[in-house]
Amino acid sequence: MTFDAEYEPSPTKWVRDQVAAIEESGGTEGTMMLGMPVIIVNTIGVKTGKLRKIPLMRVEHDGVYAAVASLGGAPKHPVWYFNVTADPRVEVRDGQHVARLTAREVFGDEKAVWWERAVAAYPPYAEYQQNTERVIPLFVLEP
Ligand SMILES: C[C@H](OP(=O)(O)OC[C@@H](O)[C@@H](O)[C@@H](O)Cn1c2nc(=O)[nH]c(=O)c-2cc2ccc(O)cc21)C(=O)N[C@@H](CCC(=O)N[C@@H](CCC(=O)O)C(=O)O)C(=O)O
């Protein structure tokens, strides 16, 4: 698994446009959504082996990031959840900084701490969780 696999842009235009804006500016533009910062998490497609670039709200604490598989509170996980579960090696772009990290889904008390940080960074996560039976997964992305 390498991050020089063929990039397959998201089928969702506003998503792939935000990835393009961030990457073409070297991480200096396009990094906000609704006034809150966005990171890009690179994963490898579990079926295609293609490079998938996933913008997510930036949740960070002491050099560790969170990836919240919210999908706006939809009843099903976003597909990238299965990529990261299959291969936890991710590449994270936070502005001009790019790091290779490892994803680990968290539960229980550890998730509660990170969920609080996530909601503090992006309050709509709380509504998303209230509006769905699905338990929204949270991964920590750590060195
Ligand atoms: C639409 C679908 O995307 P998804 O992986 O479900 O992810 C949906 C969204 O979570 C994703 O678009 C996020 O970037 C949306 N999004 C956020 N999504 C979130 O879940 N949380 C966030 O905090 C978040 C913030 C955010 C900020 C800015 C922005 O532009 C987008 C943001 C997709 O790309 N489908 C592809 C396949 C993708 C894929 O990974 N395929 C795998 C197979 C996976 C399988 O089938 O199991 C492969 O290539 O092998 C397709 O239909 O062709």
Coordinates of all heavy atoms in Angstrom, one line a residue, residues 60-123:
E60 N -7.7 18.3 16.4 CA -6.3 18.0 16.7 C -6.0 18.2 18.2 O -6.6 19.2 18.8 CB -5.4 18.8 15.8 CG -3.9 18.5 16.0 CD -3.2 19.3 17.0 OE1 -3.8 20.3 17.5 OE2 -2.1 18.9 17.5
H61 N -5.2 17.4 18.8 CA -4.8 17.6 20.2 C -3.4 17.0 20.4 O -3.2 15.8 20.1 CB -5.8 16.9 21.1 CG -5.4 17.1 22.6 ND1 -5.7 18.3 23.2 CD2 -4.8 16.3 23.5 CE1 -5.3 18.2 24.5 NE2 -4.7 17.0 24.7
D62 N -2.4 17.8 20.7 CA -1.0 17.4 20.9 C -0.5 16.5 19.8 O 0.1 15.5 20.0 CB -1.0 16.5 22.2 CG -1.1 17.4 23.5 OD1 -0.9 18.6 23.3 OD2 -1.3 16.9 24.6
G63 N -0.7 17.0 18.6 CA -0.2 16.3 17.4 C -0.9 15.1 16.9 O -0.5 14.4 16.0
V64 N -2.0 14.7 17.6 CA -2.9 13.6 17.3 C -4.2 14.2 16.7 O -4.7 15.2 17.2 CB -3.2 12.7 18.5 CG1 -4.2 11.6 18.1 CG2 -1.9 12.1 19.1
Y65 N -4.6 13.6 15.6 CA -5.9 14.1 14.9 C -7.0 13.1 15.2 O -6.8 11.9 15.5 CB -5.6 14.3 13.4 CG -4.7 15.4 13.1 CD1 -3.3 15.1 13.0 CD2 -5.1 16.7 12.7 CE1 -2.4 16.1 12.7 CE2 -4.2 17.7 12.4 CZ -2.9 17.4 12.4 OH -2.0 18.4 12.1
A66 N -8.2 13.6 15.0 CA -9.4 12.7 15.0 C -10.0 12.7 13.6 O -10.0 13.8 12.9 CB -10.4 13.1 16.0
A67 N -10.5 11.6 13.1 CA -11.3 11.5 11.9 C -12.7 11.0 12.3 O -12.8 9.9 12.8 CB -10.6 10.5 10.9
V68 N -13.6 11.9 12.1 CA -15.0 11.6 12.5 C -15.8 11.1 11.3 O -16.0 11.9 10.3 CB -15.7 12.8 13.2 CG1 -17.1 12.5 13.6 CG2 -14.8 13.2 14.4
A69 N -16.3 9.9 11.3 CA -17.0 9.3 10.1 C -18.5 9.7 10.2 O -19.4 8.8 10.3 CB -16.8 7.8 10.1
S70 N -18.7 11.0 10.2 CA -20.1 11.5 10.5 C -21.0 11.4 9.2 O -22.2 11.1 9.3 CB -20.0 13.0 10.9 OG -19.2 13.7 10.0
L71 N -20.5 11.8 8.1 CA -21.3 11.9 6.9 C -22.6 12.6 7.1 O -23.7 12.1 6.8 CB -21.6 10.5 6.3 CG -22.1 10.4 4.9 CD1 -21.2 11.1 3.9 CD2 -22.3 8.9 4.5
G72 N -22.5 13.7 7.9 CA -23.7 14.5 8.1 C -24.8 13.8 8.9 O -26.0 14.3 8.9
G73 N -24.5 12.8 9.6 CA -25.5 12.1 10.4 C -26.3 11.1 9.5 O -27.4 10.6 10.0
A74 N -25.8 10.7 8.4 CA -26.5 9.7 7.5 C -26.6 8.4 8.2 O -25.8 8.1 9.2 CB -25.7 9.6 6.2
P75 N -27.5 7.6 7.8 CA -27.7 6.3 8.5 C -26.6 5.3 8.3 O -26.4 4.3 9.0 CB -29.0 5.7 7.9 CG -29.3 6.5 6.8 CD -28.6 7.8 6.9
K76 N -25.8 5.5 7.2 CA -24.7 4.6 6.9 C -23.3 5.3 7.1 O -23.2 6.5 6.9 CB -24.8 4.0 5.5 CG -26.0 3.1 5.3 CD -26.2 2.7 3.9 CE -25.1 1.7 3.4 NZ -25.3 1.3 2.0
H77 N -22.3 4.5 7.4 CA -20.9 5.0 7.5 C -20.5 5.5 6.1 O -20.9 4.9 5.0 CB -19.9 3.9 7.9 CG -20.1 3.4 9.3 ND1 -20.7 4.1 10.3 CD2 -19.8 2.2 9.8 CE1 -20.7 3.4 11.4 NE2 -20.2 2.2 11.1
P78 N -19.7 6.6 6.0 CA -19.1 6.9 4.8 C -18.1 5.8 4.4 O -17.6 5.0 5.2 CB -18.2 8.2 5.1 CG -18.0 8.1 6.6 CD -19.2 7.4 7.2
V79 N -18.0 5.6 3.1 CA -17.2 4.5 2.5 C -15.8 4.5 3.0 O -15.2 3.4 3.2 CB -17.4 4.5 1.0 CG1 -16.4 3.6 0.3 CG2 -18.8 4.2 0.5
W80 N -15.2 5.7 3.2 CA -13.8 5.7 3.6 C -13.6 5.0 5.0 O -12.5 4.6 5.3 CB -13.3 7.2 3.7 CG -13.9 8.1 4.6 CD1 -14.9 9.1 4.3 CD2 -13.7 8.3 6.0 NE1 -15.3 9.8 5.5 CE2 -14.5 9.3 6.5 CE3 -12.8 7.6 6.9 CZ2 -14.5 9.7 7.9 CZ3 -12.8 8.1 8.3 CH2 -13.7 9.1 8.7
Y81 N -14.7 4.9 5.7 CA -14.6 4.2 7.0 C -14.0 2.8 6.8 O -13.2 2.3 7.5 CB -15.9 4.1 7.7 CG -16.0 3.2 8.9 CD1 -15.6 3.7 10.2 CD2 -16.4 1.9 8.8 CE1 -15.6 2.9 11.3 CE2 -16.4 1.0 9.9 CZ -16.0 1.5 11.2 OH -16.0 0.7 12.3
F82 N -14.5 2.1 5.7 CA -14.0 0.7 5.4 C -12.6 0.7 4.9 O -11.8 -0.2 5.1 CB -15.0 0.1 4.5 CG -16.4 0.1 5.0 CD1 -17.3 1.1 4.6 CD2 -16.8 -0.8 6.0 CE1 -18.6 1.1 5.2 CE2 -18.1 -0.7 6.6 CZ -19.0 0.2 6.2
N83 N -12.2 1.8 4.2 CA -10.8 1.8 3.7 C -9.9 1.9 4.9 O -8.9 1.1 5.0 CB -10.6 3.1 2.9 CG -11.4 3.0 1.6 OD1 -11.8 2.0 1.1 ND2 -11.6 4.2 1.0
V84 N -10.2 2.8 5.9 CA -9.3 3.0 7.0 C -9.3 1.8 7.9 O -8.3 1.5 8.5 CB -9.7 4.3 7.7 CG1 -8.9 4.5 9.0 CG2 -9.5 5.6 6.9
T85 N -10.4 1.2 8.1 CA -10.5 0.0 8.9 C -9.7 -1.1 8.3 O -9.0 -1.9 9.0 CB -12.0 -0.4 9.0 OG1 -12.8 0.6 9.6 CG2 -12.2 -1.7 9.9
A86 N -9.7 -1.2 6.9 CA -8.9 -2.3 6.3 C -7.4 -2.0 6.3 O -6.6 -2.9 6.5 CB -9.4 -2.4 4.8
D87 N -7.1 -0.7 6.2 CA -5.6 -0.4 6.2 C -5.5 1.0 6.9 O -5.8 2.0 6.4 CB -5.0 -0.3 4.8 CG -3.5 -0.1 4.9 OD1 -3.0 0.4 6.0 OD2 -2.8 -0.5 4.0
P88 N -5.1 0.9 8.2 CA -5.1 2.1 9.0 C -4.0 3.1 8.7 O -3.9 4.2 9.4 CB -4.9 1.5 10.5 CG -4.1 0.3 10.3 CD -4.6 -0.3 9.0
R89 N -3.1 2.8 7.7 CA -2.1 3.8 7.4 C -2.7 4.9 6.6 O -3.3 4.7 5.5 CB -1.0 3.1 6.6 CG -0.1 2.2 7.5 CD 0.9 1.4 6.7 NE 0.2 0.5 5.8 CZ 1.0 -0.2 4.9 NH1 2.3 -0.1 4.9 NH2 0.3 -1.0 4.1
V90 N -2.6 6.2 7.1 CA -3.2 7.3 6.4 C -2.1 8.4 6.3 O -1.1 8.4 7.0 CB -4.4 7.9 7.2 CG1 -5.5 6.9 7.3 CG2 -3.9 8.3 8.6
E91 N -2.4 9.3 5.4 CA -1.5 10.5 5.2 C -2.4 11.7 5.4 O -3.5 11.8 4.9 CB -1.0 10.5 3.8 CG 0.2 11.4 3.5 CD 0.8 11.2 2.1 OE1 0.0 11.4 1.2 OE2 1.9 10.8 2.0
V92 N -2.0 12.6 6.4 CA -2.8 13.7 6.7 C -2.2 15.0 6.3 O -1.0 15.2 6.5 CB -3.0 13.8 8.3 CG1 -3.8 15.0 8.7 CG2 -3.8 12.5 8.7
R93 N -3.0 15.8 5.5 CA -2.5 17.2 5.2 C -3.2 18.2 6.1 O -4.5 18.2 6.0 CB -2.7 17.5 3.7 CG -2.4 19.0 3.5 CD -2.7 19.4 2.0 NE -1.6 19.0 1.2 CZ -0.4 19.7 1.1 NH1 -0.1 20.7 1.9 NH2 0.5 19.2 0.2
D94 N -2.5 18.9 6.9 CA -3.1 19.9 7.7 C -2.4 21.2 7.3 O -1.3 21.6 7.7 CB -2.7 19.6 9.2 CG -3.3 20.7 10.2 OD1 -4.1 21.6 9.7 OD2 -3.0 20.6 11.4
G95 N -3.1 21.9 6.4 CA -2.5 23.2 5.8 C -1.2 22.8 5.0 O -1.2 21.9 4.2
Q96 N -0.1 23.4 5.4 CA 1.2 23.1 4.6 C 1.9 21.9 5.2 O 2.9 21.5 4.7 CB 2.1 24.3 4.6 CG 1.4 25.5 3.9 CD 2.2 26.8 4.0 OE1 2.0 27.5 4.9 NE2 3.1 27.0 3.0
H97 N 1.4 21.3 6.2 CA 2.1 20.2 6.9 C 1.4 18.8 6.5 O 0.2 18.7 6.6 CB 1.9 20.4 8.5 CG 2.5 19.3 9.3 ND1 3.8 19.1 9.4 CD2 1.9 18.3 10.0 CE1 4.0 18.0 10.2 NE2 2.8 17.6 10.6
V98 N 2.3 17.9 6.1 CA 1.8 16.6 5.7 C 2.5 15.5 6.6 O 3.7 15.6 6.8 CB 2.1 16.3 4.2 CG1 1.6 14.9 3.8 CG2 1.4 17.3 3.3
A99 N 1.7 14.6 7.2 CA 2.3 13.6 8.0 C 1.7 12.2 7.7 O 0.5 12.1 7.4 CB 2.0 13.9 9.5
R100 N 2.5 11.2 7.9 CA 2.1 9.8 7.8 C 1.7 9.3 9.2 O 2.5 9.4 10.1 CB 3.2 8.9 7.3 CG 3.6 9.1 5.8 CD 2.7 8.3 4.9 NE 3.0 8.7 3.5 CZ 3.8 8.0 2.7 NH1 4.5 7.0 3.1 NH2 4.0 8.4 1.4
L101 N 0.4 8.9 9.4 CA -0.1 8.6 10.7 C -0.8 7.2 10.6 O -1.0 6.7 9.5 CB -1.1 9.6 11.2 CG -0.4 11.1 11.3 CD1 -1.5 12.1 11.7 CD2 0.6 11.1 12.4
T102 N -1.1 6.7 11.8 CA -1.9 5.4 11.8 C -3.2 5.7 12.5 O -3.3 6.3 13.6 CB -1.1 4.4 12.6 OG1 0.2 4.2 12.0 CG2 -1.8 3.0 12.7
A103 N -4.3 5.1 11.9 CA -5.6 5.3 12.4 C -6.0 4.2 13.4 O -5.6 3.1 13.2 CB -6.6 5.4 11.3
R104 N -6.7 4.6 14.4 CA -7.2 3.6 15.4 C -8.6 4.0 15.8 O -8.7 5.1 16.4 CB -6.2 3.5 16.6 CG -6.6 2.6 17.7 CD -5.5 2.5 18.8 NE -5.1 3.8 19.3 CZ -5.6 4.4 20.4 NH1 -6.7 3.8 21.0 NH2 -5.2 5.5 20.8
E105 N -9.6 3.1 15.6 CA -10.9 3.5 16.1 C -11.0 3.5 17.6 O -10.4 2.6 18.2 CB -12.0 2.6 15.5 CG -13.4 3.1 15.8 CD -14.5 2.3 15.0 OE1 -14.2 1.4 14.2 OE2 -15.7 2.6 15.3
V106 N -11.6 4.4 18.2 CA -11.6 4.5 19.7 C -13.1 4.3 20.2 O -14.0 4.6 19.5 CB -11.0 5.8 20.2 CG1 -9.5 5.9 19.9 CG2 -11.8 7.0 19.6
F107 N -13.1 3.9 21.4 CA -14.4 3.5 22.0 C -14.4 4.0 23.5 O -13.4 4.3 24.0 CB -14.6 2.0 22.0 CG -14.5 1.4 20.6 CD1 -13.3 1.0 20.0 CD2 -15.7 1.4 19.7 CE1 -13.2 0.5 18.7 CE2 -15.6 0.9 18.4 CZ -14.4 0.5 17.9
G108 N -15.6 3.9 24.1 CA -15.6 4.1 25.6 C -15.1 5.5 26.0 O -15.3 6.5 25.4
D109 N -14.4 5.4 27.1 CA -13.9 6.7 27.7 C -13.0 7.5 26.8 O -13.1 8.7 26.7 CB -13.2 6.4 29.1 CG -14.1 5.9 30.1 OD1 -15.3 6.0 29.9 OD2 -13.6 5.4 31.2
E110 N -12.1 6.7 26.1 CA -11.2 7.4 25.2 C -12.0 8.1 24.1 O -11.7 9.3 23.7 CB -10.2 6.4 24.5 CG -9.2 7.1 23.7 CD -8.2 6.1 23.1 OE1 -8.4 4.9 23.1 OE2 -7.1 6.5 22.7
K111 N -13.1 7.5 23.6 CA -13.9 8.1 22.5 C -14.6 9.3 23.1 O -14.7 10.4 22.5 CB -14.9 7.1 21.9 CG -15.8 7.9 20.9 CD -16.7 6.9 20.1 CE -17.5 7.7 19.1 NZ -18.5 6.9 18.4
A112 N -15.1 9.2 24.4 CA -15.8 10.3 25.0 C -14.9 11.6 25.0 O -15.4 12.7 24.7 CB -16.3 9.9 26.4
V113 N -13.6 11.4 25.4 CA -12.7 12.5 25.4 C -12.6 13.2 24.1 O -12.6 14.4 23.8 CB -11.3 12.1 26.0 CG1 -10.3 13.2 25.8 CG2 -11.5 11.7 27.5
W114 N -12.4 12.3 23.0 CA -12.1 12.8 21.7 C -13.4 13.3 21.1 O -13.4 14.3 20.3 CB -11.6 11.7 20.8 CG -10.1 11.6 21.0 CD1 -9.3 10.7 21.7 CD2 -9.1 12.5 20.3 NE1 -8.0 11.0 21.6 CE2 -7.8 12.1 20.8 CE3 -9.2 13.6 19.5 CZ2 -6.7 12.8 20.4 CZ3 -8.1 14.2 19.1 CH2 -6.8 13.8 19.5
W115 N -14.6 12.8 21.5 CA -15.8 13.3 20.9 C -16.1 14.7 21.4 O -16.5 15.6 20.6 CB -17.0 12.4 21.3 CG -18.3 12.8 20.7 CD1 -19.3 13.5 21.3 CD2 -18.7 12.7 19.3 NE1 -20.3 13.8 20.4 CE2 -20.0 13.3 19.2 CE3 -18.1 12.1 18.2 CZ2 -20.7 13.3 18.0 CZ3 -18.8 12.1 17.0 CH2 -20.1 12.7 16.9
E116 N -15.7 15.0 22.7 CA -15.8 16.3 23.2 C -14.9 17.3 22.4 O -15.4 18.4 22.0 CB -15.4 16.3 24.7 CG -16.0 17.4 25.5 CD -15.7 17.2 27.0 OE1 -15.9 16.1 27.5 OE2 -15.1 18.2 27.6
R117 N -13.7 16.8 22.1 CA -12.8 17.7 21.3 C -13.4 17.9 19.9 O -13.3 19.0 19.3 CB -11.4 17.0 21.2 CG -10.6 17.0 22.5 CD -9.4 16.2 22.4 NE -8.7 16.1 23.7 CZ -7.9 15.2 24.1 NH1 -7.7 14.1 23.3 NH2 -7.3 15.2 25.2
A118 N -14.0 16.9 19.3 CA -14.5 17.0 18.0 C -15.7 18.0 18.0 O -15.7 18.9 17.1 CB -15.0 15.6 17.5
V119 N -16.6 17.9 18.9 CA -17.7 18.8 19.0 C -17.3 20.2 19.2 O -17.8 21.2 18.7 CB -18.8 18.3 20.0 CG1 -19.9 19.3 20.2 CG2 -19.4 16.9 19.6
A120 N -16.2 20.3 20.0 CA -15.7 21.7 20.3 C -15.1 22.3 19.0 O -15.3 23.5 18.7 CB -14.6 21.6 21.4
A121 N -14.5 21.4 18.2 CA -14.0 21.9 16.9 C -15.0 22.2 15.9 O -15.0 23.1 15.1 CB -12.9 20.9 16.4
Y122 N -16.1 21.3 15.9 CA -17.2 21.4 14.9 C -18.5 21.0 15.5 O -18.9 19.9 15.5 CB -16.8 20.5 13.7 CG -17.8 20.6 12.5 CD1 -17.9 21.8 11.8 CD2 -18.5 19.5 12.2 CE1 -18.8 21.9 10.7 CE2 -19.4 19.6 11.1 CZ -19.6 20.8 10.4 OH -20.4 20.9 9.4
P123 N -19.2 22.0 16.1 CA -20.4 21.7 16.9 C -21.5 20.9 16.2 O -22.1 20.1 16.9 CB -20.9 23.1 17.3 CG -19.6 24.0 17.3 CD -18.8 23.4 16.2

